[in-house]
Amino acid sequence: MTDQTVALPAVPASAVEDVVRVEAVSRTFGKGKHAVHAVRDVSFTAGRGELVAVRGRSGAGKTTLLNLVGGLDRPDAGRIRVAGHDVTAAGERELLSLRRGTIGFVFQTFGLVPILSAAENVGVPLRLARVPAAEREQRVAVLLELVGLGGHAAQRPYELSGGQQQRVAVARALANEPDLLIADEPTGQLDSETGRSIMDLLRAVVHARGMTALVATHDPALIELADRTLTLRDGRLVPED
Ligand SMILES: Nc1ncnc2c1ncn2[C@@H]1O[C@H](COP(=O)(O)OP(=O)(O)OP(=O)(O)O)[C@@H](O)[C@H]1O
Ligand SMILES: [Mg+2]
């Protein structure tokens, strides 16, 4: 028999591996002389298994950039792709499904629902995705174990320390196995040691699961834990050296 193998056109590795592609993105708030150019002509990519820190002074544009990548806000110019989806061209319905399945969010203020237990909080995205109850419970248990809170499933947020609450928030962000984790100053409300343990956790998860993470932080100790750092100054990316 002849060899029937057909040579497929080579796909550049970068096209496959880049989970985040940001091309010439700008976002301006306000108009005229009151206009604030929060993000100006920013381009970068981030690959699978990469934890990328985004640093810069207060007002440099970190939150604005993360919100754009996560589809929480729309750029005035440029294009953003996450895991092959064009975030900039997506309609509301597609953005909602991206935010529920492809992208996980962790915020500085944790954002847990106060009346729900740790387990119920982690289960919220799974409920939204209509995962059946039995499977949901099992997945929640695995997630809580992963973030070191196996013994705290029944506790409400106010019965947990800040670091523990942020671990619950990380578990919730991971519930739907997103391709991209976006964390905006996830350690901002924690002491430095607890902050470091959260950053260690994020790093371990990103590397173990081949996810990608974009983490905005001011903290030099945490920047050291990142695989790569993007620096923003007045909305512009400072070239890497
Ligand atoms: N919704 C908005 N309306 C008007 N201006 C905004 C809005 N969001 C952000 N800005 C402005 O855009 C600039 C960048 O803000 P951004 O929140 O992205 O900074 P940041 O780097 O996250 O700062 P911080 O470290 O304090 O969180 C700031 O000048 C801010 O005032
Ligand atoms: Mg911010």
Side-chain angles (χ1 to χ4, degrees):
M1 234 172 86
T2 54
D3 187 349
Q4 300 260 313
T5 310
V6 176
L8 290 169
V11 177
S14 60
V16 179
E17 296 298 329
D18 286 342
V19 173
V20 179
R21 285 194 83 86
V22 171
E23 293 167 16
V25 161
S26 296
R27 176 72 166 106
T28 301
F29 296 107
K31 283 194 165 66
K33 66 177 171 80
H34 299 295
V36 176
H37 302 283
V39 168
R40 311 185 204 209
D41 196 22
V42 166
S43 300
F44 70 93
T45 61
R48 215 161 271 290
E50 224 184 357
L51 190 156
V52 179
V54 180
R55 72 170 171 190
R57 292 193 177 164
S58 182
K62 302 181 295 297
T63 296
T64 304
L65 180 62
L66 262 47
N67 286 347
L68 292 170
V69 175
L72 301 175
D73 185 19
R74 299 221 185 235
D76 303 302
R79 201 165 83 126
I80 297 165
R81 292 181 75 82
V82 173
H85 303 277
D86 191 334
V87 176
T88 28
E92 280 308 316
R93 191 183 283 258
E94 199 183 342
L95 280 181
L96 194 64
S97 99
L98 273 172
R99 292 198 293 259
R100 285 185 180 170
T102 308
I103 305 171
F105 294 91
V106 175
F107 300 101
Q108 180 172 358
T109 49
F110 320 139
L112 301 175
V113 183
I115 58 162
L116 299 183
S117 69
E120 287 165 341
N121 267 285
V122 175
V124 166
L126 300 174
R127 275 180 188 274
L128 291 173
R130 301 188 193 286
V131 174
E135 187 190 335
R136 205 166 62 219
E137 273 174 38
Q138 197 187 356
R139 281 169 62 177
V140 166
V142 169
L143 286 158
L144 283 174
E145 207 61 55
L146 175 78
V147 298
L149 291 178
H152 299 269
Q155 284 167 247
R156 305 250 170 104
Y158 66 85
E159 297 168 327
L160 296 165
S161 71
Q164 289 171 333
Q165 289 181 53
Q166 195 58 303
R167 284 171 183 272
V168 173
V170 170
R172 182 186 54 186
L174 296 174
N176 284 326
E177 302 183 343
D179 295 292
L180 172 65
L181 193 70
I182 290 181
D184 193 359
E185 309 210 26
T187 63
Q189 296 212 340
L190 306 173
D191 64 74
S192 59
E193 201 177 315
T194 311
R196 199 188 154 98
S197 84
I198 291 292
M199 199 71 176
D200 274 334
L201 169 66
L202 289 178
R203 197 167 107 116
V205 169
V206 164
H207 291 170
R209 299 201 168 185
M211 286 170 46
T212 303
L214 284 182
V215 183
T217 181
H218 293 281
D219 189 336
L222 302 182
I223 287 166
E224 268 181 36
L225 291 176
D227 298 306
R228 198 150 58 86
T229 303
L230 302 175
T231 306
L232 285 170
R233 189 177 296 150
D234 295 332
R236 286 188 201 281
L237 213 51
V238 177
E240 292 172 73
D241 40 32

